[in-house]
Amino acid sequence: MTILALETSCDETSAAVVRDGKILSNTVSSQIKLHEEYGGVVPELAAREHLKNLLPVTRAALQDAGVSPAQLDAVAATQGPGLGIALLIGFKAAQAVAFALHKPFLGINHHEAHLYSPWIAGTPPVADFANFQPNVSLIVSGGHTLLVLVASELNHRVLGGTIDDAAGECFDKTGKLMGLGYPAGPLIDKLSELGRPDAYDFPRPLLHDANDDFSFSGLKTSVRYFIRDHPELLDDRQKVCDLCASVQAAIVEVLVKKTLRAAKREDVRGVTASGGVTCNRALRNELERACKKNGFALRLAEKNLCTDNAAMIGVLAERKLLANAPLAPLDEEIKPGWVLA
Ligand code: KG4
Ligand code: ZN
């Protein structure tokens, strides 16, 4: 089965062609530079940029894959959650392509696509899924932080999520307070390599609460007050690195300990992680260490599939088609607030 997928939920315009679980092409045009000067994504600008880039990106994806529109068996797009006017561009374009080609169309939940993205890599993909279920899965991005129990493929239940800021947002907002660019997550990761994680003690919110929820806004506020009281730190490169490493350590400790606690309680076989923050080296290393110590198999999304991309949308769409999931009617609308259940 050959599927064209489009993803425009935030600030990446992406098109991919997947066939039989394999990625034939995955073209991503990032808008980071455009939004950098505003310190965050400006929805109107994002939508205009998607409009400008969607056609060339889609053409490139088809060309890279060596696939013509006539060879497509289905078309998929991110339906939500995301920025409404950004989602609209890819979703409506994909529906139009499906309509013109008389092919099935699927609207995909962005978080569900992240959830299964650790299974994409490998040949054949998802081959060892059955040996790995049930598992607890951490989805950690700029917009969301979710812990999900995956009983079997396409059969999952959200255990908890953030009650305020997402982990990626915490990286980005604390980085902004330190004067780092947007998004600050990758730079904090890099600078942390040169810093001491125990240099400054920041709170680990909800770490000891019995539930599977997260909260990162208190941590951000505590960094804000710390910088307000010690502004001179920002003139010292080593201290900025120490600050980065200390903030990162607080975020990573909460993510890893709560994920592992849920995995033990649910008595699962494995742990997976996906979403942009899963690029973070400390998070990858700590999850690896903790899973090894506690006897859980670990599967992390490949770094290029952690951040937003259309390949994960296409792969999930194909799995759904194979499982006879219902198709979306061609006049269905976007769902900007679509919560993963
Ligand atoms: O999944 P994603 O591309 O978009 C959303 O769906 O939100 O995630 C983007 C988020 C941003 O907050 C970014 O700072 C964070 O992922 N991120 C990182 C790293 N790479 C990306 N955070 C920490 N360390 C990284 N290496
Ligand atoms: Zn995402």
Side-chain angles (χ1 to χ4, degrees):
M1 202 183 297
T2 307
I3 297 185
L4 171 69
L6 305 182
E7 149 70 39
T8 62
S9 66
C10 191
D11 59 347
E12 259 100 27
T13 314
S14 180
V17 178
V18 306
R19 179 183 287 155
D20 303 333
K22 294 207 181 73
I23 301 171
L24 299 189
S25 64
N26 187 25
T27 310
V28 183
S29 167
S30 173
Q31 304 177 4
I32 282 177
K33 287 268 165 286
L34 178 73
H35 300 288
E36 202 169 15
E37 65 174 293
Y38 303 97
V41 178
V42 183
E44 173 77 20
L45 292 183
R48 284 167 191 258
E49 200 65 8
H50 286 313
L51 265 180
K52 197 170 83 188
N53 292 331
L54 190 60
L55 192 57
V57 161
T58 306
R59 193 177 281 134
L62 288 166
Q63 265 168 9
D64 287 357
V67 164
S68 72
Q71 290 173 291
L72 296 173
D73 297 303
V75 185
T78 307
Q79 189 168 8
L83 300 170
I85 57 171
L87 282 168
L88 263 180
I89 314 287
F91 191 73
K92 289 291 155 190
Q95 283 178 326
V97 174
F99 175 75
L101 296 175
H102 303 285
K103 297 294 177 191
F105 172 76
L106 284 98
I108 295 293
N109 180 297
H110 182 87
H111 292 141
E112 194 178 359
H114 274 305
L115 177 66
Y116 292 104
S117 64
W119 301 99
I120 298 175
T123 316
V126 298
D128 52 351
F129 199 104
N131 299 326
F132 211 84
Q133 60 198 37
N135 63 71
V136 159
S137 186
L138 175 69
I139 308 173
V140 68
S141 71
H144 289 268
T145 304
L146 290 168
L147 261 183
V148 185
L149 176 64
V150 181
S152 57
E153 196 185 337
L154 303 182
N155 175 11
H156 47 257
R157 174 168 62 85
V158 171
L159 298 171
T162 182
I163 57 170
D164 42 54
D165 290 354
E169 208 175 343
C170 187
F171 271 108
D172 295 340
K173 288 182 175 169
T174 54
K176 195 174 174 184
L177 295 168
M178 294 180 222
L180 307 177
Y182 171 83
L187 194 54
I188 291 183
D189 185 352
K190 202 165 154 208
L191 296 177
S192 293
E193 292 284 295
L194 308 168
R196 282 195 304 120
D198 59 352
Y200 308 108
D201 190 22
F202 290 113
R204 272 65 170 156
L206 302 191
L207 182 58
H208 300 294
D209 277 40
N211 58 42
D212 294 320
D213 288 335
F214 298 94
S215 163
F216 290 104
S217 78
L219 170 56
K220 174 192 66 191
T221 306
S222 128
V223 174
R224 169 176 291 126
Y225 289 147
F226 183 77
I227 291 175
R228 182 196 64 189
D229 297 341
H230 307 278
E232 72 287 351
L233 288 188
L234 299 185
D235 298 326
D236 182 327
R237 190 175 156 80
Q238 183 53 50
K239 289 191 171 134
V240 171
C241 293
D242 289 342
L243 191 52
C244 286
S246 302
V247 171
Q248 178 175 278
I251 298 173
V252 167
E253 185 179 338
V254 174
L255 293 174
V256 173
K257 287 200 170 153
K258 294 204 84 160
T259 303
L260 266 286
R261 198 178 62 193
K264 285 181 206 167
R265 187 194 63 231
E266 300 293 338
D267 196 20
V268 293
R269 296 172 85 169
V271 168
T272 75
S274 60
V277 178
T278 308
C279 289
N280 185 273
R281 282 173 289 184
L283 178 61
R284 295 179 87 87
N285 292 341
E286 286 304 307
L287 277 173
E288 213 161 282
R289 198 187 50 73
C291 284
K292 203 168 179 187
K293 186 171 161 217
N294 291 282
F296 292 114
L298 174 68
R299 190 132 176 165
L300 300 168
E302 288 205 340
K303 283 192 178 182
N304 66 326
L305 296 173
C306 282
T307 45
D308 291 347
N309 66 87
M312 66 180 187
I313 305 296
V315 170
L316 179 59
E318 187 179 35
R319 304 301 297 181
K320 283 185 176 261
L321 279 172
L322 292 171
N324 292 320
L327 298 174
L330 266 185
D331 57 355
E332 206 172 66
E333 297 301 334
I334 54 165
K335 296 179 185 169
W338 192 3
V339 181
L340 192 67

